[in-house]
Amino acid sequence: MPEIRLRRVYDPPEPEADGLRVLVDRLWPRGLAKAVAGVEEWPKAVTPSTELRKWFHDGGSADGFRQRYEAELAEPEAVAELDRLRGLVARGGPVTLLTAVKDPGSSHAAILAERLSG
């Protein structure tokens, strides 16, 4: 089974371990040059919407975020992008989902990794 890793986009790339580097944030990370980030894919259709991000930062719950994000991932454009990403994962080799959040393991990136591996 291909490996899906979660990492902060601000961490230096590890080319051999990272494999395909996929940014899963809607906005480009502040202060990070594109040449340094080593991002190869940026599928905005599977990133949390601006409205969802604002809702969560205004006090939304983690459970509510998951439910709303999963609903966004069920939209046709997101489904098509998820299928395309699953194809990239199926090629083998690691795929690293990159996010600017401090704890990728408890973020939308972890939810997305579940959807890609399931």
Side-chain angles (χ1 to χ4, degrees):
M1 172 173 254
E3 178 185 4
I4 299 176
R5 302 178 73 206
L6 304 176
R7 295 191 65 215
R8 291 196 75 216
V9 69
Y10 294 109
D11 295 336
E14 297 175 354
E16 292 181 22
D18 287 347
L20 180 69
R21 292 172 55 87
V22 181
L23 180 63
V24 295
D25 289 342
R26 175 84 38 158
L27 304 174
W28 188 262
R30 290 182 186 186
L32 185 64
K34 290 183 180 183
V36 173
V39 170
E40 298 167 90
E41 294 275 340
W42 189 10
K44 293 181 185 178
V46 297
T47 64
S49 68
T50 300
E51 296 78 16
L52 179 54
R53 286 183 298 107
K54 286 181 180 179
W55 173 84
F56 184 68
H57 289 292
D58 287 342
S61 69
D63 288 338
F65 178 88
R66 174 181 277 275
Q67 183 178 27
R68 291 170 187 226
Y69 182 45
E70 288 180 347
E72 288 184 357
L73 291 175
E75 294 293 323
E77 186 178 357
V79 168
E81 191 62 35
L82 281 168
D83 288 343
R84 188 184 76 78
L85 289 172
R86 281 189 192 101
L88 295 174
V89 169
R91 288 189 320 193
V95 173
T96 300
L97 303 182
L98 302 166
T99 180
V101 301
K102 292 182 182 177
D103 181 10
S106 62
S107 73
H108 68 285
I111 297 168
L112 186 55
E114 290 173 12
R115 295 291 294 269
L116 290 173
S117 62

